[in-house]
Amino acid sequence: MDFAGQVVIVTGASRGIGREIAAQFAARGAQVACVATTVPGAQGTVDAIGGGKAFACDVSQSDQVEQLIADIQESLGTPSVLVNNAGITRDTLMLRMKDEDWDRVLEVNLKGAFLTTRAVAKPMMKARYGRIVNISSVVGLHGASGQANYAAAKAGMIGLTMSTAKELGSRGITCNAVAPGFVATDMTSDLPEDFKAYVEKSAPAGRLGEPVDIAPAVLFFASKEAAYITGQTLTVDGGLML
């Protein structure tokens, strides 16, 4: 898969899955717009992957997202690919969950994906080409105790994926989702050790995932070769949910 000459936007690019996705696009010739909540966070990825450009944005804020896309167009060119990877967790049981914990997770994970998709759709429609890939989760498909907010947001991203595919398909734009299982990143570092052991024992692959396991699925959906695939969700979980 070759992305030479393409402008690729990756949100949540400062670490983990986002950084690996950015790295793999850059290795295949893309100009990567690495987006994080701070410029230093994004710049760390730019430095690590040896290219691209850092941008700061709170993806839950419409004005910041609109400015982000305008800045990317001005400095790099028309985006060909958007990867909605930005996400946070604020886990606790539902009866203990505060309103602000629910609101913030939905704002960043789901509203953020909507806002960036809406903003990038305009230049993509004009170009009559685009690839949008949403990073959902197996939790969005199966739920999880203590993650009502995160599960709702990730399930919402799957609905957003299908609606986007239907609305934009006639303009040469596809939209698909990747649903990772439990991946060893900073976000999952606080998982109890007994749960990690359960995953390793239960998954046919016999281990937790790594960011490098997720990125190739994203690149495939973002490729020209995937032109006839849209509105789909691909689970990448080592077989855990079988």
Side-chain angles (χ1 to χ4, degrees):
M1 292 176 286
D2 182 13
F3 294 93
Q6 294 194 37
V7 176
V8 176
I9 303 171
V10 181
T11 68
S14 64
R15 59 184 182 173
I17 292 173
R19 177 172 285 194
E20 181 62 29
I21 291 170
Q24 294 208 21
F25 274 116
R28 289 162 177 80
Q31 281 272 45
V32 185
C34 299
V35 182
T37 53
T38 66
V39 170
Q43 187 62 45
T45 293
V46 171
D47 294 342
I49 69 178
K53 188 168 182 178
F55 296 87
C57 181
D58 179 348
V59 295
S60 72
Q61 301 301 308
S62 180
D63 57 341
Q64 291 190 35
V65 171
E66 293 290 337
Q67 188 61 54
L68 169 71
I69 301 305
D71 290 344
I72 291 171
Q73 284 188 271
E74 182 178 353
S75 59
L76 297 178
T78 299
S80 296
V81 178
L82 167 66
V83 181
N84 282 313
N85 173 71
I88 62 170
T89 56
R90 291 190 178 179
D91 296 350
T92 190
L93 294 174
M94 191 182 303
L95 293 178
R96 299 175 183 170
M97 188 173 291
K98 298 178 181 178
D99 290 358
E100 54 265 34
D101 293 333
W102 172 272
D103 291 343
R104 189 57 182 159
V105 170
L106 269 290
E107 285 170 357
V108 174
N109 295 28
L110 182 55
K111 183 182 178 183
F114 162 71
L115 291 177
T116 50
T117 296
R118 184 178 67 181
V120 84
K122 300 169 188 176
M124 284 184 175
M125 289 172 69
K126 187 175 181 179
R128 300 193 70 83
Y129 181 86
R131 299 284 185 265
I132 300 169
V133 185
N134 294 325
I135 307 302
S136 181
S137 170
V138 293
V139 170
L141 292 165
H142 300 277
S145 178
Q147 288 192 311
N149 48 4
Y150 188 73
K154 292 301 187 179
M157 289 182 77
I158 293 172
L160 175 64
T161 297
M162 292 185 285
S163 293
T164 302
K166 289 184 176 183
E167 289 192 22
L168 302 182
S170 65
R171 302 299 186 94
I173 302 168
T174 67
C175 184
N176 293 286
V178 174
F182 293 95
V183 179
T185 65
D186 291 348
M187 187 177 288
T188 59
S189 61
D190 292 334
L191 288 172
E193 290 302 320
D194 58 345
F195 181 79
K196 294 178 184 179
Y198 163 78
V199 172
E200 292 172 354
K201 180 179 179 181
S202 301
R207 61 178 177 85
L208 271 71
E210 299 287 343
V212 70
D213 296 315
I214 309 304
V218 176
L219 267 67
F220 172 67
F221 277 144
S223 70
K224 293 179 179 179
E225 290 84 352
Y228 202 57
I229 303 172
T230 194
Q232 303 303 304
T233 299
L234 175 63
T235 300
V236 185
D237 68 347
L240 180 64
M241 296 299 172
L242 289 174

